[in-house]
Amino acid sequence: MLVVCCGMQRSGSTVQYQIACAIAETLGIGRGVGWDWISASENMASGERPVHVVKVHQPNPAFEAKLGPAFTRYIYCHRDIRDVIVSLIDKYGPMDEAKIDHHVRRFAISPFEPFSRRPGALIS
């Protein structure tokens, strides 16, 4: 099974990924495989530790279609958009409206619907 930790940029999805990895590793049922779809493999279920956790910010419909909904679970983390903007400014420094708009649309708003509409998605 692939557990996809996903969410808005600056929403806590990294902590969410770290917690999911720790649970899978502590229970001996899986491991973290990385921070991008490239880290995941279609053959993961055949191993002795069948749970694999990956962290992403953008959907990858082509890869997900190969796995199928029975093999994939999503944990989506979201945050108030105003908090996301403040966090972006704290991380990257002063930004003009165009740059803020780009980050918000690309990493906060556009992935929400594709991820949150997946079967069995947990939204936190």
Side-chain angles (χ1 to χ4, degrees):
M1 175 183 297
L2 179 63
V3 176
V4 180
C5 294
C6 47
M8 291 180 166
Q9 186 179 34
R10 314 299 303 154
S11 68
S13 56
T14 298
V15 171
Q16 177 187 69
Y17 170 77
Q18 292 167 340
I19 291 168
C21 289
I23 291 169
E25 291 170 6
T26 300
L27 295 175
I29 60 170
R31 65 187 181 88
V33 295
W35 301 84
D36 199 346
W37 290 106
I38 296 168
S39 308
S41 164
E42 298 159 32
N43 302 317
M44 289 184 290
S46 62
E48 65 182 55
R49 297 175 73 176
V51 175
H52 299 267
V53 184
V54 67
K55 180 192 182 279
V56 299
H57 283 293
Q58 296 292 321
N60 185 336
F63 184 85
E64 294 170 276
K66 293 177 187 175
L67 297 175
F71 184 70
T72 311
R73 295 291 179 265
Y74 298 87
I75 306 172
Y76 186 86
C77 190
H78 73 92
R79 185 176 183 182
D80 185 298
I81 201 71
R82 295 166 292 190
D83 291 336
V84 171
I85 292 169
V86 170
S87 185
L88 284 168
I89 293 169
D90 284 347
K91 182 174 182 177
Y92 298 114
M95 303 167 81
D96 62 20
E97 281 187 46
K99 194 167 187 176
I100 289 172
D101 185 59
H102 168 76
H103 276 279
V104 168
R105 287 182 191 278
R106 180 163 182 226
F107 295 109
I109 296 172
S110 66
F112 175 75
E113 190 167 327
F115 280 133
S116 63
R117 299 226 183 241
R118 300 292 200 266
L122 172 64
I123 301 171
S124 62

